[in-house]
Amino acid sequence: MTAAARWIRCFHPSPGSDVQVVCFPHAGGTASYYHPLSAALAPAAEMLAVQYPGRQDRFDEPLIDDLPLLADRAAEALGGGDRPRVFFGHSMGAVMAFEVARRLGRGGPVALFVSGRRAPSTTRQETAHLLGDDELVALAQRLGGSDPEVLRHEELRGLILPSLRADYRAVCTHRPDGEARLAVPITALTGDADPVTSVAEAEAWGRHTTSRFELKVFPGGHFFLAHHVPEIARMILGSLRAVHA
């Protein structure tokens, strides 16, 4: 199996579209989280969702708990696309989208959407990866990124805890370059009641582009995007029209 086949999922193939939207999941998340967004974008844009190792159909592969290495592998799998691409990442996925875009350089996205994550130039002490199992599950339940029924089921919880912990270790121990910039438009999205990303921390993404920057604040907590899929899809498609113009 090729690297692209292992890493990339396409739920609604749209070969006639002019652009692809590449989505990066949150900590403990999977490619299938973006299925509703894929449906909302098709057929105007084809969505590709990144599947990190150690979960769902990649369950038998070793987890990667080092974010630079994870970004290296994702960049290798995504290199050489046949259409312009936009990157979209939520939470840890925002960090991944930014780091993969840096690695791809001129072959990277024409625009970047970063959701539910503070900018690299802001700092917070993050220790979620050091929590015990029960505390880590409680955090995931509080933020709302995982199915609460799955987390309450002992056997199913045991299946997702390793990937959740590995992802938190990757993002919590990552030391980003606070001066790094991309030469593409960046749009930051955040919830007005997000406990882990303030509006000011989201707005700081403007320091990381030499192109246009826009901030969008939605009602909701950390996983506000689940309640605003149609609006976010329209926003992405609107940005594509602006880029083409």
Side-chain angles (χ1 to χ4, degrees):
M1 185 182 291
T2 65
R6 291 200 316 274
W7 283 82
I8 310 300
R9 303 291 174 269
C10 183
F11 302 120
H12 301 90
S14 302
S17 67
D18 295 329
V19 69
Q20 291 175 322
V21 179
V22 181
C23 292
F24 297 81
H26 55 278
T30 63
S32 60
Y33 181 80
Y34 286 113
H35 192 279
L37 182 59
S38 175
L41 289 169
E46 181 177 78
M47 198 198 79
L48 306 178
V50 175
Q51 184 79 298
Y52 307 140
R55 65 211 74 200
Q56 288 190 331
D57 53 348
R58 300 189 68 186
F59 187 77
D60 60 343
E61 297 181 45
L63 293 158
I64 299 177
D65 61 3
D66 177 270
L67 196 135
L69 178 59
L70 193 62
D72 288 344
R73 297 291 181 266
E76 291 168 6
L78 284 165
D82 62 351
R83 281 170 277 179
R85 288 172 170 173
V86 170
F87 282 6
F88 184 103
H90 180 71
S91 197
M92 176 182 122
V95 184
M96 280 290 293
F98 183 71
E99 292 296 340
V100 173
R102 292 182 64 199
R103 284 156 173 76
L104 292 176
R106 291 182 179 273
V110 297
L112 175 68
F113 285 79
V114 286
S115 169
R117 179 67 186 181
R118 60 181 177 81
S121 52
T122 65
T123 57
R124 277 195 185 203
Q125 185 177 12
E126 297 181 308
T127 57
H129 62 300
L130 302 177
L131 295 173
D133 288 352
D134 290 342
E135 290 80 7
L136 191 60
V137 166
L139 174 62
Q141 289 175 320
R142 191 160 62 249
L143 294 179
S146 301
D147 185 339
E149 291 300 320
V150 171
L151 292 175
R152 280 194 287 267
H153 194 287
E154 193 67 30
E155 290 184 5
L156 294 177
R157 190 174 84 163
L159 293 176
I160 68 169
L161 260 175
S163 61
L164 184 65
R165 185 174 298 283
D167 288 352
Y168 268 117
R169 185 177 296 112
V171 72
C172 289
T173 61
H174 177 55
R175 297 296 175 261
D177 180 354
E179 302 298 322
R181 291 185 177 187
L182 297 176
V184 300
I186 293 180
T187 302
L189 291 66
T190 192
D192 60 4
D194 189 338
V196 296
T197 302
S198 69
V199 172
E201 289 172 323
E203 190 172 23
W205 277 103
R207 305 170 193 163
H208 299 279
T209 176
T210 59
S211 183
R212 300 187 309 276
F213 173 74
E214 191 171 5
L215 174 68
K216 295 287 188 179
V217 181
F218 292 82
H222 188 58
F223 282 92
F224 66 90
L225 71 168
H227 306 289
H228 301 280
V229 170
E231 185 176 353
I232 291 171
R234 288 193 297 270
M235 184 186 309
I236 293 172
L237 294 174
S239 78
L240 296 178
R241 288 190 289 270
V243 167
H244 286 309

